[in-house]
Amino acid sequence: MAALPILNFEEKISETVEQNQVVVVIGETGSGKSTQLSQILHRKGYSKSGIIGVTQPRRVAAVSVARRVAHELSVQLGDEVGYAIRFEDRTSNKTYIKYLTDGCLLREGLSDPELKQYSVIILDEAHERSLNTDILMGLMKRLMRLRPSMKILITSATLDGEKVSTFFSNCPVLQVPGKLYPVEILYSTERPKSYLQAALKVALDIHIKEPPGDVLIFMTGQDDIEKMVTKLEERVQSLEEGTCMDAIILPLHGSLPPELQVRVFSPPPPNCRRFIVATNIAETSLTVDGVVYVIDSGYVKQRQYNPSTGMYSLDVVQISRVQADQRAGRAGRTSHGKCYRLYPSMVYREELLEATVPEIQRSSLAGSVLYLKSLELPDINILKFDFLDPPSRESLEDALKQLYLIDAIDENGLITEVGRKMAELPLEPSLSRTLIEANVLGCLSEALTVSAMLSAETSLLPARSKGAERKRKHPASHLPNGSGLGDHIQLLQIFEEWHHENYDPQWCVHNDLQVRGMMFTKEVRKQLAQIMLKVAKGPVDLRANKKSRESKHDYRNLRKALCIGYANQLAERKIHHNGYRTLGYKSQLVQVHPSSVLETDEYGHLPNYVVYHELIATSRPFMRNVCAVELSWVSSILKKMEKLDVNKLSGSSYASESDGQERKEGTGMPINEAAAGNASEDHLNKIQAARERYLARKANK
DNA sequence: GAGCACTGC
């Protein structure tokens, strides 16, 4: 095995860590930082006073890196070296190096906010800026003061170490070279009218003119990928026999069943070039070996949240320079590579954002704010929490409003008893609230099922392909229809049927449900039930088989519990038609998503009130996953909405959270409000501008 | 009457 570059820096790293509490380590792909940093610190004796914890944004990474390190140290995985991911804790009291997902570390923080069992925390892949990593970075900054002996390392693959260093009081930044081969970057001379056509042309050019090596093409989504695969197949076949080598064309995206995804890991037959047409799943999550050529469309599909409307949208936006470089790097893993960017260098230099807008500025923050509130950090005010890139004030206020309407915080912004229980549940706050109410109303079992089903929902239905869709149109689905009351009820009924079939995998296959997704649901439900047993004070009724009782009552209790949980996701039907307007937000006109099983009454009317799981703007604003509720349940929520006072929720919480103690400027967190507002508004404007440019170009073609 | 990138507790 060739020596990893990072080992040449062992002395330097040890020394720097010795002398500093926080160190940023910049290491490109192949530097060995993920596997070696923990071992270096172990050799230096840091594992004597506690565990060396290394976080990863993804489960597979946590598991595979832990396995590798256990192997290198010749120990049994789970003994001295272990990992922890959801549903799987492979550590023991012997463990001194522990790899875990950042979500897992946050969970551990609930019972131990100072993370006392750790002597070292390494936040790996921090440049990906996942929501959880960002929260952890804020918490680490606070721990610096509380745990002076703890060592904190932040690792990043890109060169924006200065920003992180500034955040952590100008801590040192170490650079470790990677093992990537040089990649030649080739730009288009102008913007393509259709990047699909442009990608096709470049792909064929490579196939005809360039030496062997696989081609990785970055597209935005499943539709484009399927079109590209079809066209590329046609064109390759029409090439004259013997003019060039064979070709295999493989799609690669998240909704592809796992067995088709793994095809990219089997090497191609001899004298055959592979074309992998992928979403940004191939940017970080999956690494395809053998890629020499990358074709970069310059676009990505990104989900963003608008805190003033409570609506998500899924937009095609320009990638950032960091992303463009990451994509290019995929060509240099095995040898010299080439990256063809389907846009001019001017676009790269002047139009692309430096870095991707971090997730924390694109998501609803109700869950994260509840988490921070539940830690009850006496010195922290949520609106002034020190984030590397603060979310907008509007976004934080939206989170506070949501939490207030579902009783997780009181009118002064203080966490309630209910809120504390909610924070224990690994669910969105709306569903946590539903579970707690359901336990009161005697329908916890049903609510557990609904929550678990919604947690897995995207992976339940098999990948749609146009042909299969048409075939499936008529053979009537035998799945239950939610009794016309909506999608939550349908999800419940589906699971209950599966339960009656003794969780038979064949039943899933027969009903076009993904076995893996349903198994996941079952596991989530089990986990949620265990947590409810722990947090609920009164009796907990978990029997999964009381189907008849709730259904005889039209699932009234369950729907009532959902109504309490989704207090901030309520819509009222317009009088003359079946459109709805949302309540509680800047009122939006929305429609029930056509995939919904919600039914009209004998007059053709949909229910007057519904709650929705999610607002998503695609071709139009839609409510996805809706459930019929009743006016009498809604009225108390409406009253609460009227009473809502954001200033009290956010402003005065400061005084009460600090227990009346005087807080001097400079002893707590730096106050960063102005920056917060401007930074994210600026980001949003840029996203918007990029989107408009894209749409304009699309309209032109 | 529509269609969804990717993670994670």
Side-chain angles (χ1 to χ4, degrees), chain A residues 426-663:
Chain A
L427 287 172
E428 295 155 59
S430 54
L431 293 175
S432 317
R433 182 69 186 89
T434 301
L435 287 190
I436 288 163
E437 189 65 14
N439 194 37
V440 174
L441 296 174
C443 56
L444 179 59
S445 170
E446 289 82 0
L448 285 169
T449 302
V450 173
S451 303
M453 287 290 279
L454 282 169
S455 298
E457 200 228 356
T458 48
S459 57
L460 282 184
L461 300 169
R464 63 194 159 84
S465 71
K466 296 266 157 64
E469 186 72 10
R470 259 180 241 117
K471 252 193 259 164
R472 224 171 339 112
K473 207 124 207 183
H474 277 294
S477 167
H478 295 290
L479 288 174
N481 70 349
S483 309
L485 293 166
D487 308 294
H488 298 75
I489 306 301
Q490 185 194 31
L491 291 172
L492 169 65
Q493 292 170 340
I494 289 174
F495 188 88
E496 286 185 338
E497 275 204 33
W498 190 43
H499 171 78
H500 283 287
E501 302 292 329
N502 298 315
Y503 304 116
D504 179 6
Q506 275 310 306
W507 182 88
C508 302
V509 175
H510 188 249
N511 284 287
D512 262 354
L513 297 165
Q514 279 201 12
V515 179
R516 270 173 52 125
M518 290 299 286
M519 298 302 284
F520 178 77
T521 299
K522 197 175 152 212
E523 214 164 348
V524 172
R525 190 182 181 283
K526 193 171 108 195
Q527 186 191 28
L528 296 176
Q530 280 165 355
I531 298 171
M532 283 304 288
L533 274 172
K534 201 178 81 188
V535 300
K537 288 238 171 70
V540 177
D541 187 356
L542 298 174
R543 283 169 299 159
N545 198 7
K546 319 178 296 176
K547 189 177 169 187
S548 52
R549 202 173 90 198
E550 255 297 286
S551 53
K552 258 185 216 144
H553 293 82
D554 295 333
Y555 302 93
R556 284 183 65 85
N557 284 330
L558 176 60
R559 289 189 296 123
K560 197 171 173 183
L562 284 167
C563 188
I564 302 293
Y566 285 116
N568 200 40
Q569 285 144 270
L570 193 58
E572 180 182 56
R573 189 169 62 82
K574 304 283 283 178
I575 300 168
H576 297 297
H577 53 86
N578 279 334
Y580 285 81
R581 68 181 189 96
T582 57
L583 302 174
Y585 280 109
K586 197 164 73 185
S587 193
Q588 298 288 303
L589 292 179
V590 297
Q591 292 197 313
V592 176
H593 197 276
S595 65
S596 176
V597 293
L598 188 73
E599 284 172 12
T600 54
D601 62 16
E602 65 262 47
Y603 308 107
H605 292 313
L606 288 170
N608 287 333
Y609 291 91
V610 294
V611 288
Y612 55 83
H613 182 71
E614 180 181 65
L615 284 185
I616 176 100
T618 46
S619 58
R620 269 183 295 174
F622 288 111
M623 298 183 283
R624 279 192 63 229
N625 289 319
V626 298
C627 176
V629 297
E630 294 185 6
L631 176 62
S632 61
W633 310 335
V634 168
S635 44
S636 64
I637 298 170
L638 295 179
K639 266 188 218 125
K640 205 169 174 182
M641 273 179 197
E642 282 165 27
K643 277 202 321 202
L644 193 149
D645 178 355
V646 188
N647 289 327
K648 223 176 153 195
L649 281 180
S650 52
S652 66
S653 66
Y654 169 64
S656 22
E657 274 187 17
S658 53
D659 277 327
Q661 287 169 3
E662 201 184 339
R663 194 178 86 157

Side-chain angles (χ1 to χ4, degrees), chain A residues 409-423:
Chain A
I409 57 176
D410 64 18
E411 69 273 17
N412 296 312
L414 295 174
I415 188 162
T416 61
E417 202 53 45
V418 167
R420 252 181 279 264
K421 290 179 187 171
M422 285 167 56

Side-chain angles (χ1 to χ4, degrees), chain A residues 137-150:
Chain A
M137 278 199 272
L139 289 173
M140 289 301 137
K141 181 157 182 178
R142 177 175 170 274
L143 280 192
M144 282 172 70
R145 284 180 288 130
L146 298 170
R147 300 262 332 265
S149 66
M150 183 155 114

Side-chain angles (χ1 to χ4, degrees), chain A residues 122-160:
Chain A
I122 302 175
L123 301 184
D124 202 6
E125 315 289 0
H127 61 279
E128 289 187 23
R129 304 297 306 276
S130 79
L131 180 54
N132 287 338
T133 310
D134 268 21
I135 304 271
L136 280 170
M137 278 199 272
L139 289 173
M140 289 301 137
K141 181 157 182 178
R142 177 175 170 274
L143 280 192
M144 282 172 70
R145 284 180 288 130
L146 298 170
R147 300 262 332 265
S149 66
M150 183 155 114
K151 298 295 183 184
I152 299 163
L153 281 79
I154 316 285
T155 86
S156 178
T158 47
L159 298 170
D160 68 341

